[in-house]
Amino acid sequence: MANKNVSVWTSIPFWRRSAAWVTGFATILLIWLTFDTLGQITMGTDADLKNGVDKRVPAATVINYKIDYKMSTKRGHEVPVIGGKQLFFGKEWSAKEAADLLHLGKLTSQAKNCMNCHTLLGNGAYYAPDLTKAWLDPAWQNGGPLQGMTGKNTVEEAMAEFLQHPSQYPTHARMMPNLGITADEAKGLVAFLKHMSSIDTNGFPRNFSKTVDQFKSGGTNAH
Amino acid sequence: MFGLIEPFTDVNHSFFGMLNQGPLTLTIFLHTIIILPMFWIYFSEKKRLNK
């Protein structure tokens, strides 16, 4: 076969085949990635929690457990660690009650447009603190200034009190306005925040512990 | 091998998760497998045009 002076680059069938290959491959890949993601983001079950099965997104009943956040040297960032039982608003919530409460919290977070100022799981604004791991913020724990200012004894009661009367409490240079959140909605929101802090976000937001250390040594904001 | 493949550390096992452990990222992998067959398309077109 003689090697004639032909240009493949000006050949229409060449571009047509290349385009077909790239488009076809990308289509199959996107479908595969969709199913791959479903497995990653599917919520765990109450049985998973009881059996200690790690899920990226635990069941709603995770609100009945103590949630810790620890550095994993293996993964190179912090991961949520679900510990022993912990009462939430003074009781243990059944799977149905927990799911309903979380649902109310999610709807309230959407209705009150939290993301207009805050960031949740990487979505939203940075006008106000990142809420992804807000439940773990030491300022809300026992002895922390945010819990102290509300006069409550638990993280959930302190957060619920603050959410109902945010404009009464000096928190941030940009104080949160009163959004008319009811007592039930506040409970739902706190459940929503507690559940969110138990989601394995591959270490997002970064350097949480570093900012916590800064906060403990006199900084003003744990995020 | 040159640190390109590192032990899997993610929570859920997945094929794309494996690709994302080390410097051999999803982007490099996808570019490789999309572009390599295009060489074959190029040479087969060249052969066809030469005929």
Side-chain angles (χ1 to χ4, degrees):
Chain A
M1 183 173 66
N3 196 3
K4 280 177 281 176
N5 194 13
V6 291
S7 170
V8 180
W9 305 111
T10 52
S11 141
I12 285 169
F14 166 71
W15 292 107
R16 192 183 287 138
R17 280 176 73 190
S18 296
W21 161 249
V22 173
T23 312
F25 183 83
T27 307
I28 290 163
L29 186 76
L30 283 171
I31 293 167
W32 183 4
L33 275 169
T34 303
F35 285 100
D36 185 69
T37 306
L38 283 178
Q40 301 278 333
I41 62 172
T42 304
M43 210 177 195
T45 61
D46 198 27
D48 286 337
L49 279 174
K50 284 175 182 147
N51 302 325
V53 177
D54 272 342
K55 291 290 283 187
R56 197 178 281 283
V57 185
T61 40
V62 78
I63 60 171
N64 295 321
Y65 293 82
K66 187 174 173 8
I67 296 156
D68 216 339
Y69 203 45
K70 288 192 177 139
M71 186 69 192
S72 161
T73 45
K74 190 180 163 209
R75 293 182 59 193
H77 52 72
E78 293 140 306
V79 289
V81 178
I82 297 161
K85 287 275 168 95
Q86 182 187 54
L87 294 179
F88 189 71
F89 287 104
K91 65 176 259 194
E92 184 166 343
W93 298 69
S94 72
K96 170 90 173 63
E97 287 171 337
D100 288 348
L101 190 67
L102 211 61
H103 186 61
L104 173 67
K106 186 184 82 174
L107 293 184
T108 309
S109 81
Q110 291 165 350
K112 303 296 177 185
N113 206 357
C114 301
M115 280 188 197
N116 217 18
C117 299
H118 295 279
T119 288
L120 315 176
L121 296 169
N123 301 306
Y126 275 105
Y127 185 75
D130 190 319
L131 294 182
T132 311
K133 300 291 170 190
W135 173 262
L136 305 160
D137 188 335
W140 286 106
Q141 314 299 321
N142 260 325
L146 292 179
Q147 185 177 124
M149 77 184 175
T150 59
K152 304 285 180 184
N153 301 318
T154 60
V155 182
E156 60 269 28
E157 280 166 355
M159 282 184 160
E161 166 62 23
F162 169 74
L163 285 169
Q164 289 168 73
H165 314 284
S167 56
Q168 286 178 20
Y169 296 105
T171 45
H172 200 264
R174 303 183 288 258
M175 278 169 62
M176 183 167 153
N178 197 341
L179 300 170
I181 296 167
T182 66
D184 281 343
E185 286 170 347
K187 271 190 183 181
L189 281 174
V190 179
F192 182 68
L193 289 176
K194 185 169 183 179
H195 177 261
M196 190 156 55
S197 76
S198 75
I199 295 175
D200 193 321
T201 53
N202 288 343
F204 175 86
R206 285 275 152 184
N207 298 323
F208 183 83
S209 288
K210 208 161 126 191
T211 46
V212 164
D213 289 341
Q214 280 167 1
F215 168 78
K216 284 181 176 161
S217 62
T220 51
N221 196 339
H223 297 291
Chain B
M1 193 186 67
F2 313 118
L4 276 179
I5 295 162
E6 295 187 358
F8 192 82
T9 54
D10 212 336
V11 212
N12 300 71
H13 229 290
S14 78
F15 176 70
F16 295 107
M18 276 163 64
L19 294 177
N20 266 327
Q21 296 300 308
L24 183 70
T25 59
L26 194 61
T27 313
I28 295 170
F29 170 75
L30 292 180
H31 276 83
T32 309
I33 57 167
I34 289 171
I35 282 151
L36 285 182
M38 287 174 72
F39 281 92
W40 176 77
I41 296 174
Y42 176 87
F43 285 111
S44 69
E45 275 301 318
K46 194 171 179 115
K47 205 170 144 193
R48 197 184 60 85
L49 288 171
N50 272 330
K51 264 188 198 165

